[in-house]
């Protein structure tokens, strides 16, 4: 009986450990060498684009299908992360979670139509969407792979 109890407890501990493992989306990457999202602007500097591995906290996710996420950078600002070739998505319920992503950061002027599209994806009201009238200079990231940390 003692042996059966020990086996049952071991199985419960193992299944709990497995449930806590990181999740991978897109290309399988590792978290080594990832820089904080807040440092991306500084590291990018005067360059138009660069390869990078970044870690940060998810601020919002596309509510339609998880086709983009915004990660907190500095002073309440965010960086939009999309996924290479629209080849994978992330879960829609990861706001507040830590992620690591690898790919290319770049400076971009996002047109009004695209900003309005993202606002619709985020579930913004019609008034909020129509209030978007000017393009936005921003740093965006196209990720090859994402790790959702557990």
């Amino acid at each position: 009986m003692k042996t059966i109890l020990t086996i049952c407890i071991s199985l419960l501990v193992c299944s709990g450990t497995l449930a806590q493992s990181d999740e991978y989306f897109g290309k399988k990457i590792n978290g080594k060498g990832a820089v904080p999202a807040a440092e991306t602007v500084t590291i990018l500097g005067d360059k138009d684009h660069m390869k990078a591995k970044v870690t940060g906290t998810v601020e919002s996710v596309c509510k339609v299908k998880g086709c983009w996420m915004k990660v907190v950078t500095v002073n309440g600002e965010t960086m939009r992360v999309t996924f290479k070739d629209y080849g994978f998505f992330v879960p829609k319920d990861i706001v507040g979670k830590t992620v690591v992503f690898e790919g290319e950061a770049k400076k971009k002027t996002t047109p009004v139509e695209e900003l309005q599209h993202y606002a619709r994806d985020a579930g913004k009201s019609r008034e909020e969407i129509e209030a978007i009238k000017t393009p936005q200079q921003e740093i965006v990231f196209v990720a090859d792979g994402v790790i959702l940390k557990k």
Side-chain angles (χ1 to χ4, degrees):
M1 183 69 172
K2 200 174 192 180
T3 305
I4 293 173
L5 183 59
T6 302
I7 291 171
C8 288
I9 290 173
S10 296
L11 287 173
L12 285 172
V13 169
C14 288
S15 67
T17 303
L18 292 175
Q20 296 299 314
S21 62
D22 296 338
E23 289 184 66
Y24 296 83
F25 304 92
K27 175 182 160 188
K28 186 134 184 186
I29 62 170
N30 67 55
K32 293 180 182 174
V35 298
E39 294 178 18
T40 306
V41 176
T42 305
I43 294 170
L44 188 57
D46 293 336
K47 298 178 226 157
D48 290 333
H49 60 91
M50 70 174 191
K51 294 283 185 190
K53 188 184 300 184
V54 178
T55 185
T57 303
V58 178
E59 183 266 343
S60 59
V61 179
C62 170
K63 292 183 180 191
V64 175
K65 56 183 151 186
C67 54
W68 53 260
M69 63 184 171
K70 282 188 172 182
V71 175
V72 178
T73 55
V74 291
N75 301 324
E77 303 220 1
T78 59
M79 172 174 53
R80 182 177 315 279
V81 180
T82 58
F83 311 114
K84 186 173 183 179
D85 299 328
Y86 213 59
F88 63 96
F89 306 119
V90 295
K92 297 182 280 184
D93 63 350
I94 62 171
V95 172
K97 304 280 184 169
T98 300
V99 290
V100 176
F101 46 97
E102 184 174 0
E104 184 176 41
K106 56 185 166 182
K107 294 177 182 175
K108 176 182 178 184
T109 301
T110 306
V112 170
E113 297 79 22
E114 190 173 336
L115 293 170
Q116 289 175 336
H117 173 85
Y118 289 139
R120 276 190 296 281
D121 283 354
K124 302 282 184 183
S125 70
R126 183 176 183 189
E127 292 78 23
E128 290 172 299
I129 295 167
E130 290 175 353
I132 300 170
K133 304 258 188 231
T134 57
Q136 184 177 0
Q137 287 278 25
E138 57 187 346
I139 294 177
V140 297
F141 200 99
V142 178
D144 298 323
V146 175
I147 302 170
L148 174 59
K149 304 299 281 181
K150 295 288 180 166

